[in-house]
Amino acid sequence: MNIAEAIELLKEHGYKTTGKRKDILTFFEEADGYRTAKDLIQYLEESYDGISFDTVYRNLHLYNEVGILETTELNGEKHFRMNCTHHHHHHFICKDCGKTKEIEVCPMNEVKKTLHNYAIEDHKFEIYGLCPKCQLA
Amino acid sequence: MNIAEAIELLKEHGYKTTGKRKDILTFFEEADGYRTAKDLIQYLEESYDGISFDTVYRNLHLYNEVGILETTELNGEKHFRMNCTHHHHHHFICKDCGKTKEIEVCPMNEVKKTLHNYAIEDHKFEIYGLCPKCQLA
DNA sequence: TATCATATCGTAATGGTTACGATTTGTAAA
DNA sequence: TTTACAAATCGTAACCATTACGATATGATA
């Protein structure tokens, strides 16, 4: 998902294009990994003095709903990243910088065989640790 | 992990055995699935009027540290269950009742092959949905 | 049974998130 | 281009799970 696609998606859903919304997209495009609401607020405050929590959280939820962002919970805090739409995969997540590496392995087909009569709605497979760069730092 | 093992484990680590600590163990043994701090407080208040948050959370953390409980985060709230010590496995978790079913599949060996130079510290593989009982209810 | 480290209490503080009335601003129609 | 209005944002308070702390009570050991 890139910025142009995201703006198009918002328009399709009838949402307005505002400066802040564009800046939020820019932030996540540059981030290339998971970021928190706090990270985003810090970024936006450079351009907008006194940005409202309401604006930040409302847009994060909106973006998540329409599929621009995906989210995961780490240490009691929600983290967001640009959605990878192309195909199903999972992530290695660096605990230090938040950057992710795609993992192609998904064991769900195998798992489904062992879960007769269970209604599977969702699954989460994440690997945590330090990326090569952050090990050196 | 059963209650006797857990109490033994606490003693080994030099922690005292109190009525509340035993009751917390009873709660989780009967629970047979993931429960929140709130659930536990509700249970303890039946026997102890005005139980302190401090007591509840301190003991939950303690139990997690010594390996009596394992924990996961669902919907922004920490959930705890008795630790399954016997072997490495993952869980299907029912969104309704919190009960779990063990999943023997673990794709980490395969994943490790694709993560050269990454320092893997941890991983999470969980399946969410409704168990057979909760689908009927 | 005396001692003392540990456990608990009562409650306030913290941190992330949500909510809301008032105000501003894109957008599309006139 | 102006108007009209729904949507977006602001400023701030409330919410909820969790953490923290000084004072008090209580298991465990000697």
Side-chain angles (χ1 to χ4, degrees), chain B residues 85-128:
Chain B
T85 39
H86 33 307
H87 68 294
H88 179 74
H89 64 261
H90 297 282
H91 283 133
F92 169 93
I93 304 173
C94 180
K95 285 183 173 178
D96 236 47
C97 68
K99 280 198 182 167
T100 53
K101 179 174 166 32
E102 297 189 5
I103 302 296
E104 302 303 327
V105 179
C106 179
M108 280 310 289
N109 280 334
E110 207 177 328
V111 166
K112 275 175 191 162
K113 291 176 198 162
T114 72
L115 285 173
H116 300 295
N117 302 320
Y118 284 76
I120 298 173
E121 292 178 5
D122 204 1
H123 69 283
K124 183 175 201 168
F125 178 37
E126 286 175 347
I127 298 109
Y128 313 103

mmCIF file of all heavy atoms in Angstrom, chain B residues 85-128:
data_model
loop_
_atom_site.group_PDB
_atom_site.id
_atom_site.type_symbol
_atom_site.label_atom_id
_atom_site.label_comp_id
_atom_site.label_asym_id
_atom_site.label_seq_id
_atom_site.Cartn_x
_atom_site.Cartn_y
_atom_site.Cartn_z
ATOM 1 N N THR B 85 3.563 -27.031 31.295
ATOM 2 C CA THR B 85 5.029 -27.158 31.325
ATOM 3 C C THR B 85 5.569 -28.297 30.489
ATOM 4 O O THR B 85 6.744 -28.308 30.143
ATOM 5 C CB THR B 85 5.502 -27.368 32.776
ATOM 6 O OG1 THR B 85 4.570 -28.218 33.428
ATOM 7 C CG2 THR B 85 5.603 -26.051 33.498
ATOM 8 N N HIS B 86 4.711 -29.266 30.178
ATOM 9 C CA HIS B 86 5.240 -30.522 29.643
ATOM 10 C C HIS B 86 6.005 -30.410 28.322
ATOM 11 O O HIS B 86 7.033 -31.017 28.150
ATOM 12 C CB HIS B 86 4.152 -31.594 29.542
ATOM 13 C CG HIS B 86 2.791 -31.036 29.241
ATOM 14 N ND1 HIS B 86 2.212 -30.033 29.995
ATOM 15 C CD2 HIS B 86 1.903 -31.330 28.268
ATOM 16 C CE1 HIS B 86 1.011 -29.756 29.491
ATOM 17 N NE2 HIS B 86 0.809 -30.515 28.457
ATOM 18 N N HIS B 87 5.501 -29.619 27.377
ATOM 19 C CA HIS B 87 6.231 -29.523 26.109
ATOM 20 C C HIS B 87 5.818 -28.259 25.367
ATOM 21 O O HIS B 87 4.799 -27.652 25.676
ATOM 22 C CB HIS B 87 5.954 -30.760 25.247
ATOM 23 C CG HIS B 87 4.536 -30.818 24.760
ATOM 24 N ND1 HIS B 87 3.469 -30.994 25.619
ATOM 25 C CD2 HIS B 87 4.002 -30.674 23.524
ATOM 26 C CE1 HIS B 87 2.340 -30.977 24.915
ATOM 27 N NE2 HIS B 87 2.631 -30.782 23.657
ATOM 28 N N HIS B 88 6.605 -27.905 24.388
ATOM 29 C CA HIS B 88 6.322 -26.693 23.611
ATOM 30 C C HIS B 88 5.108 -26.894 22.716
ATOM 31 O O HIS B 88 5.036 -27.854 21.962
ATOM 32 C CB HIS B 88 7.542 -26.350 22.749
ATOM 33 C CG HIS B 88 7.325 -25.133 21.907
ATOM 34 N ND1 HIS B 88 7.327 -23.868 22.435
ATOM 35 C CD2 HIS B 88 7.083 -24.985 20.579
ATOM 36 C CE1 HIS B 88 7.107 -22.996 21.473
ATOM 37 N NE2 HIS B 88 6.953 -23.648 20.334
ATOM 38 N N HIS B 89 4.168 -25.976 22.832
ATOM 39 C CA HIS B 89 3.018 -26.027 21.931
ATOM 40 C C HIS B 89 2.337 -24.667 21.907
ATOM 41 O O HIS B 89 2.706 -23.757 22.658
ATOM 42 C CB HIS B 89 2.035 -27.112 22.379
ATOM 43 C CG HIS B 89 1.433 -26.838 23.716
ATOM 44 N ND1 HIS B 89 1.881 -27.417 24.868
ATOM 45 C CD2 HIS B 89 0.422 -26.020 24.093
ATOM 46 C CE1 HIS B 89 1.172 -26.981 25.889
ATOM 47 N NE2 HIS B 89 0.293 -26.127 25.452
ATOM 48 N N HIS B 90 1.330 -24.534 21.056
ATOM 49 C CA HIS B 90 0.594 -23.279 20.971
ATOM 50 C C HIS B 90 -0.866 -23.523 21.273
ATOM 51 O O HIS B 90 -1.251 -24.637 21.618
ATOM 52 C CB HIS B 90 0.817 -22.663 19.584
ATOM 53 C CG HIS B 90 2.246 -22.317 19.352
ATOM 54 N ND1 HIS B 90 2.837 -21.207 19.882
ATOM 55 C CD2 HIS B 90 3.231 -22.966 18.676
ATOM 56 C CE1 HIS B 90 4.113 -21.171 19.541
ATOM 57 N NE2 HIS B 90 4.381 -22.226 18.809
ATOM 58 N N HIS B 91 -1.683 -22.470 21.152
ATOM 59 C CA HIS B 91 -3.075 -22.591 21.582
ATOM 60 C C HIS B 91 -4.091 -22.034 20.590
ATOM 61 O O HIS B 91 -3.873 -20.979 20.005
ATOM 62 C CB HIS B 91 -3.287 -21.840 22.906
ATOM 63 C CG HIS B 91 -2.776 -22.547 24.109
ATOM 64 N ND1 HIS B 91 -2.014 -21.934 25.066
ATOM 65 C CD2 HIS B 91 -2.934 -23.829 24.529
ATOM 66 C CE1 HIS B 91 -1.707 -22.803 26.010
ATOM 67 N NE2 HIS B 91 -2.241 -23.959 25.712
ATOM 68 N N PHE B 92 -5.188 -22.756 20.456
ATOM 69 C CA PHE B 92 -6.424 -22.166 19.965
ATOM 70 C C PHE B 92 -7.079 -21.549 21.189
ATOM 71 O O PHE B 92 -7.145 -22.182 22.240
ATOM 72 C CB PHE B 92 -7.350 -23.231 19.363
ATOM 73 C CG PHE B 92 -8.730 -22.702 19.084
ATOM 74 C CD1 PHE B 92 -9.047 -22.198 17.837
ATOM 75 C CD2 PHE B 92 -9.705 -22.706 20.069
ATOM 76 C CE1 PHE B 92 -10.326 -21.685 17.578
ATOM 77 C CE2 PHE B 92 -10.980 -22.197 19.828
ATOM 78 C CZ PHE B 92 -11.289 -21.689 18.573
ATOM 79 N N ILE B 93 -7.546 -20.283 21.097
ATOM 80 C CA ILE B 93 -8.181 -19.604 22.228
ATOM 81 C C ILE B 93 -9.605 -19.210 21.859
ATOM 82 O O ILE B 93 -9.818 -18.516 20.857
ATOM 83 C CB ILE B 93 -7.390 -18.334 22.623
ATOM 84 C CG1 ILE B 93 -5.929 -18.689 22.937
ATOM 85 C CG2 ILE B 93 -8.042 -17.643 23.821
ATOM 86 C CD1 ILE B 93 -5.042 -17.477 23.168
ATOM 87 N N CYS B 94 -10.555 -19.648 22.656
ATOM 88 C CA CYS B 94 -11.953 -19.299 22.397
ATOM 89 C C CYS B 94 -12.218 -17.865 22.846
ATOM 90 O O CYS B 94 -11.966 -17.503 23.996
ATOM 91 C CB CYS B 94 -12.892 -20.256 23.125
ATOM 92 S SG CYS B 94 -14.631 -19.829 22.826
ATOM 93 N N LYS B 95 -12.741 -17.057 21.912
ATOM 94 C CA LYS B 95 -12.995 -15.645 22.218
ATOM 95 C C LYS B 95 -14.107 -15.478 23.241
ATOM 96 O O LYS B 95 -14.228 -14.432 23.870
ATOM 97 C CB LYS B 95 -13.393 -14.904 20.930
ATOM 98 C CG LYS B 95 -12.239 -14.627 19.991
ATOM 99 C CD LYS B 95 -12.717 -13.829 18.788
ATOM 100 C CE LYS B 95 -11.545 -13.394 17.922
ATOM 101 N NZ LYS B 95 -11.991 -12.649 16.713
ATOM 102 N N ASP B 96 -14.934 -16.495 23.371
ATOM 103 C CA ASP B 96 -16.081 -16.394 24.274
ATOM 104 C C ASP B 96 -15.733 -16.817 25.695
ATOM 105 O O ASP B 96 -15.912 -16.055 26.636
ATOM 106 C CB ASP B 96 -17.204 -17.292 23.736
ATOM 107 C CG ASP B 96 -18.487 -16.505 23.532
ATOM 108 O OD1 ASP B 96 -18.398 -15.413 22.944
ATOM 109 O OD2 ASP B 96 -19.551 -16.981 23.967
ATOM 110 N N CYS B 97 -15.234 -18.028 25.848
ATOM 111 C CA CYS B 97 -15.052 -18.569 27.201
ATOM 112 C C CYS B 97 -13.589 -18.587 27.636
ATOM 113 O O CYS B 97 -13.292 -18.872 28.793
ATOM 114 C CB CYS B 97 -15.629 -19.982 27.297
ATOM 115 S SG CYS B 97 -14.729 -21.217 26.333
ATOM 116 N N GLY B 98 -12.680 -18.293 26.723
ATOM 117 C CA GLY B 98 -11.270 -18.244 27.094
ATOM 118 C C GLY B 98 -10.589 -19.599 27.147
ATOM 119 O O GLY B 98 -9.375 -19.680 27.358
ATOM 120 N N LYS B 99 -11.363 -20.661 26.961
ATOM 121 C CA LYS B 99 -10.746 -21.985 27.011
ATOM 122 C C LYS B 99 -9.804 -22.192 25.840
ATOM 123 O O LYS B 99 -9.959 -21.592 24.780
ATOM 124 C CB LYS B 99 -11.827 -23.076 27.030
ATOM 125 C CG LYS B 99 -12.412 -23.253 28.413
ATOM 126 C CD LYS B 99 -13.146 -24.576 28.558
ATOM 127 C CE LYS B 99 -13.758 -24.652 29.956
ATOM 128 N NZ LYS B 99 -14.736 -25.731 30.094
ATOM 129 N N THR B 100 -8.827 -23.061 26.042
ATOM 130 C CA THR B 100 -7.801 -23.245 25.031
ATOM 131 C C THR B 100 -7.714 -24.696 24.593
ATOM 132 O O THR B 100 -8.083 -25.602 25.331
ATOM 133 C CB THR B 100 -6.431 -22.854 25.606
ATOM 134 O OG1 THR B 100 -6.229 -23.561 26.823
ATOM 135 C CG2 THR B 100 -6.359 -21.370 25.878
ATOM 136 N N LYS B 101 -7.228 -24.868 23.372
ATOM 137 C CA LYS B 101 -6.939 -26.223 22.884
ATOM 138 C C LYS B 101 -5.509 -26.217 22.384
ATOM 139 O O LYS B 101 -5.100 -25.309 21.664
ATOM 140 C CB LYS B 101 -7.893 -26.589 21.750
ATOM 141 C CG LYS B 101 -7.644 -27.973 21.165
ATOM 142 C CD LYS B 101 -8.707 -28.329 20.164
ATOM 143 C CE LYS B 101 -8.348 -29.528 19.300
ATOM 144 N NZ LYS B 101 -7.527 -30.563 19.917
ATOM 145 N N GLU B 102 -4.770 -27.215 22.770
ATOM 146 C CA GLU B 102 -3.364 -27.243 22.383
ATOM 147 C C GLU B 102 -3.195 -27.532 20.890
ATOM 148 O O GLU B 102 -3.892 -28.372 20.337
ATOM 149 C CB GLU B 102 -2.629 -28.314 23.197
ATOM 150 C CG GLU B 102 -2.644 -28.012 24.682
ATOM 151 C CD GLU B 102 -1.747 -28.947 25.483
ATOM 152 O OE1 GLU B 102 -1.038 -29.765 24.869
ATOM 153 O OE2 GLU B 102 -1.770 -28.855 26.723
ATOM 154 N N ILE B 103 -2.255 -26.813 20.303
ATOM 155 C CA ILE B 103 -1.900 -27.019 18.898
ATOM 156 C C ILE B 103 -0.463 -27.515 18.871
ATOM 157 O O ILE B 103 0.438 -26.844 19.378
ATOM 158 C CB ILE B 103 -1.978 -25.681 18.128
ATOM 159 C CG1 ILE B 103 -3.373 -25.074 18.225
ATOM 160 C CG2 ILE B 103 -1.544 -25.860 16.695
ATOM 161 C CD1 ILE B 103 -4.448 -25.888 17.577
ATOM 162 N N GLU B 104 -0.266 -28.669 18.273
ATOM 163 C CA GLU B 104 1.090 -29.245 18.304
ATOM 164 C C GLU B 104 1.997 -28.646 17.233
ATOM 165 O O GLU B 104 3.209 -28.668 17.352
ATOM 166 C CB GLU B 104 1.022 -30.765 18.145
ATOM 167 C CG GLU B 104 0.178 -31.464 19.204
ATOM 168 C CD GLU B 104 0.649 -31.167 20.626
ATOM 169 O OE1 GLU B 104 1.869 -30.984 20.819
ATOM 170 O OE2 GLU B 104 -0.211 -31.080 21.535
ATOM 171 N N VAL B 105 1.382 -28.106 16.192
ATOM 172 C CA VAL B 105 2.171 -27.557 15.086
ATOM 173 C C VAL B 105 2.961 -26.332 15.529
ATOM 174 O O VAL B 105 2.410 -25.432 16.149
ATOM 175 C CB VAL B 105 1.241 -27.149 13.923
ATOM 176 C CG1 VAL B 105 2.048 -26.550 12.790
ATOM 177 C CG2 VAL B 105 0.412 -28.333 13.455
ATOM 178 N N CYS B 106 4.258 -26.318 15.239
ATOM 179 C CA CYS B 106 5.059 -25.108 15.454
ATOM 180 C C CYS B 106 6.020 -24.942 14.301
ATOM 181 O O CYS B 106 6.878 -25.787 14.074
ATOM 182 C CB CYS B 106 5.833 -25.158 16.759
ATOM 183 S SG CYS B 106 6.828 -23.662 16.978
ATOM 184 N N PRO B 107 5.882 -23.866 13.567
ATOM 185 C CA PRO B 107 6.659 -23.683 12.340
ATOM 186 C C PRO B 107 8.013 -23.029 12.541
ATOM 187 O O PRO B 107 8.664 -22.652 11.578
ATOM 188 C CB PRO B 107 5.748 -22.770 11.517
ATOM 189 C CG PRO B 107 4.995 -21.992 12.533
ATOM 190 C CD PRO B 107 4.961 -22.769 13.807
ATOM 191 N N MET B 108 8.459 -22.915 13.796
ATOM 192 C CA MET B 108 9.676 -22.141 14.043
ATOM 193 C C MET B 108 10.933 -22.741 13.408
ATOM 194 O O MET B 108 11.802 -21.993 12.958
ATOM 195 C CB MET B 108 9.882 -21.923 15.545
ATOM 196 C CG MET B 108 9.033 -20.804 16.102
ATOM 197 S SD MET B 108 9.135 -19.285 15.150
ATOM 198 C CE MET B 108 10.782 -18.739 15.552
ATOM 199 N N ASN B 109 11.031 -24.048 13.389
ATOM 200 C CA ASN B 109 12.222 -24.644 12.771
ATOM 201 C C ASN B 109 12.359 -24.215 11.317
ATOM 202 O O ASN B 109 13.439 -23.834 10.862
ATOM 203 C CB ASN B 109 12.163 -26.169 12.860
ATOM 204 C CG ASN B 109 12.592 -26.653 14.239
ATOM 205 O OD1 ASN B 109 13.348 -25.967 14.925
ATOM 206 N ND2 ASN B 109 12.092 -27.805 14.635
ATOM 207 N N GLU B 110 11.234 -24.269 10.638
ATOM 208 C CA GLU B 110 11.229 -23.874 9.232
ATOM 209 C C GLU B 110 11.535 -22.385 9.082
ATOM 210 O O GLU B 110 12.280 -21.966 8.201
ATOM 211 C CB GLU B 110 9.836 -24.195 8.665
ATOM 212 C CG GLU B 110 9.829 -24.462 7.177
ATOM 213 C CD GLU B 110 8.408 -24.837 6.737
ATOM 214 O OE1 GLU B 110 7.684 -25.448 7.572
ATOM 215 O OE2 GLU B 110 8.052 -24.509 5.612
ATOM 216 N N VAL B 111 10.960 -21.588 9.999
ATOM 217 C CA VAL B 111 11.129 -20.149 9.927
ATOM 218 C C VAL B 111 12.593 -19.745 10.155
ATOM 219 O O VAL B 111 13.118 -18.859 9.486
ATOM 220 C CB VAL B 111 10.229 -19.446 10.970
ATOM 221 C CG1 VAL B 111 10.638 -17.997 11.150
ATOM 222 C CG2 VAL B 111 8.773 -19.551 10.559
ATOM 223 N N LYS B 112 13.227 -20.414 11.096
ATOM 224 C CA LYS B 112 14.603 -20.061 11.444
ATOM 225 C C LYS B 112 15.532 -20.101 10.232
ATOM 226 O O LYS B 112 16.459 -19.308 10.122
ATOM 227 C CB LYS B 112 15.125 -21.011 12.519
ATOM 228 C CG LYS B 112 14.755 -20.565 13.925
ATOM 229 C CD LYS B 112 15.191 -21.592 14.975
ATOM 230 C CE LYS B 112 14.573 -21.271 16.325
ATOM 231 N NZ LYS B 112 14.606 -22.423 17.240
ATOM 232 N N LYS B 113 15.244 -21.022 9.329
ATOM 233 C CA LYS B 113 16.087 -21.154 8.121
ATOM 234 C C LYS B 113 16.077 -19.875 7.299
ATOM 235 O O LYS B 113 17.030 -19.581 6.586
ATOM 236 C CB LYS B 113 15.560 -22.306 7.255
ATOM 237 C CG LYS B 113 15.768 -23.673 7.865
ATOM 238 C CD LYS B 113 15.125 -24.741 6.977
ATOM 239 C CE LYS B 113 14.934 -26.045 7.755
ATOM 240 N NZ LYS B 113 13.950 -26.936 7.092
ATOM 241 N N THR B 114 14.979 -19.113 7.382
ATOM 242 C CA THR B 114 14.857 -17.919 6.543
ATOM 243 C C THR B 114 15.286 -16.651 7.279
ATOM 244 O O THR B 114 15.202 -15.570 6.732
ATOM 245 C CB THR B 114 13.393 -17.733 6.082
ATOM 246 O OG1 THR B 114 12.607 -17.311 7.209
ATOM 247 C CG2 THR B 114 12.814 -19.026 5.551
ATOM 248 N N LEU B 115 15.728 -16.803 8.541
ATOM 249 C CA LEU B 115 16.081 -15.610 9.331
ATOM 250 C C LEU B 115 17.549 -15.606 9.759
ATOM 251 O O LEU B 115 17.862 -15.443 10.934
ATOM 252 C CB LEU B 115 15.171 -15.516 10.562
ATOM 253 C CG LEU B 115 13.741 -15.044 10.314
ATOM 254 C CD1 LEU B 115 12.899 -15.162 11.566
ATOM 255 C CD2 LEU B 115 13.720 -13.600 9.814
ATOM 256 N N HIS B 116 18.436 -15.782 8.780
ATOM 257 C CA HIS B 116 19.854 -15.687 9.075
ATOM 258 C C HIS B 116 20.162 -14.277 9.569
ATOM 259 O O HIS B 116 19.605 -13.312 9.081
ATOM 260 C CB HIS B 116 20.671 -15.957 7.807
ATOM 261 C CG HIS B 116 20.411 -17.318 7.246
ATOM 262 N ND1 HIS B 116 20.738 -18.475 7.917
ATOM 263 C CD2 HIS B 116 19.825 -17.701 6.092
ATOM 264 C CE1 HIS B 116 20.373 -19.508 7.198
ATOM 265 N NE2 HIS B 116 19.804 -19.066 6.078
ATOM 266 N N ASN B 117 21.028 -14.186 10.545
ATOM 267 C CA ASN B 117 21.481 -12.897 11.083
ATOM 268 C C ASN B 117 20.427 -12.165 11.903
ATOM 269 O O ASN B 117 20.655 -11.046 12.342
ATOM 270 C CB ASN B 117 21.959 -11.954 9.960
ATOM 271 C CG ASN B 117 23.080 -12.590 9.162
ATOM 272 O OD1 ASN B 117 23.950 -13.241 9.720
ATOM 273 N ND2 ASN B 117 23.023 -12.432 7.847
ATOM 274 N N TYR B 118 19.279 -12.781 12.082
ATOM 275 C CA TYR B 118 18.276 -12.192 12.977
ATOM 276 C C TYR B 118 18.369 -12.900 14.320
ATOM 277 O O TYR B 118 18.465 -14.117 14.376
ATOM 278 C CB TYR B 118 16.866 -12.371 12.414
ATOM 279 C CG TYR B 118 16.552 -11.420 11.285
ATOM 280 C CD1 TYR B 118 17.066 -11.620 10.007
ATOM 281 C CD2 TYR B 118 15.740 -10.306 11.496
ATOM 282 C CE1 TYR B 118 16.790 -10.749 8.970
ATOM 283 C CE2 TYR B 118 15.456 -9.425 10.467
ATOM 284 C CZ TYR B 118 15.986 -9.652 9.211
ATOM 285 O OH TYR B 118 15.709 -8.785 8.194
ATOM 286 N N ALA B 119 18.356 -12.131 15.418
ATOM 287 C CA ALA B 119 18.393 -12.725 16.754
ATOM 288 C C ALA B 119 16.956 -12.958 17.222
ATOM 289 O O ALA B 119 16.270 -12.025 17.628
ATOM 290 C CB ALA B 119 19.131 -11.804 17.717
ATOM 291 N N ILE B 120 16.518 -14.200 17.149
ATOM 292 C CA ILE B 120 15.148 -14.535 17.531
ATOM 293 C C ILE B 120 15.067 -14.685 19.042
ATOM 294 O O ILE B 120 15.806 -15.459 19.638
ATOM 295 C CB ILE B 120 14.701 -15.839 16.844
ATOM 296 C CG1 ILE B 120 14.717 -15.654 15.327
ATOM 297 C CG2 ILE B 120 13.315 -16.253 17.335
ATOM 298 C CD1 ILE B 120 14.450 -16.926 14.545
ATOM 299 N N GLU B 121 14.175 -13.933 19.663
ATOM 300 C CA GLU B 121 14.039 -14.003 21.119
ATOM 301 C C GLU B 121 12.761 -14.705 21.545
ATOM 302 O O GLU B 121 12.688 -15.284 22.619
ATOM 303 C CB GLU B 121 14.065 -12.587 21.703
ATOM 304 C CG GLU B 121 15.434 -11.926 21.555
ATOM 305 C CD GLU B 121 15.445 -10.504 22.103
ATOM 306 O OE1 GLU B 121 14.437 -10.070 22.671
ATOM 307 O OE2 GLU B 121 16.491 -9.829 21.930
ATOM 308 N N ASP B 122 11.755 -14.614 20.705
ATOM 309 C CA ASP B 122 10.441 -15.085 21.126
ATOM 310 C C ASP B 122 9.547 -15.237 19.894
ATOM 311 O O ASP B 122 9.852 -14.692 18.841
ATOM 312 C CB ASP B 122 9.836 -14.033 22.072
ATOM 313 C CG ASP B 122 8.812 -14.634 23.001
ATOM 314 O OD1 ASP B 122 8.581 -15.862 22.920
ATOM 315 O OD2 ASP B 122 8.237 -13.886 23.805
ATOM 316 N N HIS B 123 8.456 -15.963 20.072
ATOM 317 C CA HIS B 123 7.459 -15.993 19.005
ATOM 318 C C HIS B 123 6.091 -16.273 19.586
ATOM 319 O O HIS B 123 5.969 -16.763 20.700
ATOM 320 C CB HIS B 123 7.825 -17.034 17.945
ATOM 321 C CG HIS B 123 7.718 -18.451 18.425
ATOM 322 N ND1 HIS B 123 8.668 -19.038 19.230
ATOM 323 C CD2 HIS B 123 6.780 -19.399 18.224
ATOM 324 C CE1 HIS B 123 8.320 -20.285 19.488
ATOM 325 N NE2 HIS B 123 7.165 -20.547 18.901
ATOM 326 N N LYS B 124 5.085 -15.930 18.810
ATOM 327 C CA LYS B 124 3.710 -16.098 19.253
ATOM 328 C C LYS B 124 2.896 -16.666 18.111
ATOM 329 O O LYS B 124 2.927 -16.135 16.999
ATOM 330 C CB LYS B 124 3.151 -14.723 19.652
ATOM 331 C CG LYS B 124 1.739 -14.763 20.210
ATOM 332 C CD LYS B 124 1.356 -13.366 20.690
ATOM 333 C CE LYS B 124 0.220 -13.421 21.705
ATOM 334 N NZ LYS B 124 0.036 -12.131 22.382
ATOM 335 N N PHE B 125 2.222 -17.765 18.373
ATOM 336 C CA PHE B 125 1.341 -18.356 17.373
ATOM 337 C C PHE B 125 0.053 -18.729 18.071
ATOM 338 O O PHE B 125 0.035 -19.617 18.921
ATOM 339 C CB PHE B 125 2.013 -19.582 16.732
ATOM 340 C CG PHE B 125 1.163 -20.280 15.717
ATOM 341 C CD1 PHE B 125 0.330 -19.569 14.863
ATOM 342 C CD2 PHE B 125 1.182 -21.665 15.608
ATOM 343 C CE1 PHE B 125 -0.464 -20.216 13.927
ATOM 344 C CE2 PHE B 125 0.395 -22.320 14.665
ATOM 345 C CZ PHE B 125 -0.426 -21.592 13.826
ATOM 346 N N GLU B 126 -0.996 -17.995 17.775
ATOM 347 C CA GLU B 126 -2.276 -18.226 18.434
ATOM 348 C C GLU B 126 -3.399 -18.229 17.404
ATOM 349 O O GLU B 126 -3.370 -17.453 16.448
ATOM 350 C CB GLU B 126 -2.558 -17.137 19.479
ATOM 351 C CG GLU B 126 -1.721 -17.270 20.736
ATOM 352 C CD GLU B 126 -1.911 -16.128 21.723
ATOM 353 O OE1 GLU B 126 -2.502 -15.095 21.345
ATOM 354 O OE2 GLU B 126 -1.440 -16.263 22.856
ATOM 355 N N ILE B 127 -4.362 -19.102 17.610
ATOM 356 C CA ILE B 127 -5.531 -19.162 16.732
ATOM 357 C C ILE B 127 -6.746 -18.744 17.551
ATOM 358 O O ILE B 127 -6.924 -19.206 18.682
ATOM 359 C CB ILE B 127 -5.723 -20.579 16.165
ATOM 360 C CG1 ILE B 127 -4.509 -20.952 15.323
ATOM 361 C CG2 ILE B 127 -6.987 -20.657 15.332
ATOM 362 C CD1 ILE B 127 -3.636 -21.984 15.943
ATOM 363 N N TYR B 128 -7.556 -17.852 17.014
ATOM 364 C CA TYR B 128 -8.721 -17.339 17.729
ATOM 365 C C TYR B 128 -10.013 -17.749 17.039
ATOM 366 O O TYR B 128 -10.060 -17.885 15.815
ATOM 367 C CB TYR B 128 -8.653 -15.813 17.801
ATOM 368 C CG TYR B 128 -7.306 -15.281 18.231
ATOM 369 C CD1 TYR B 128 -6.417 -14.734 17.302
ATOM 370 C CD2 TYR B 128 -6.900 -15.355 19.559
ATOM 371 C CE1 TYR B 128 -5.174 -14.262 17.690
ATOM 372 C CE2 TYR B 128 -5.664 -14.882 19.962
ATOM 373 C CZ TYR B 128 -4.804 -14.336 19.006
ATOM 374 O OH TYR B 128 -3.572 -13.864 19.400
#
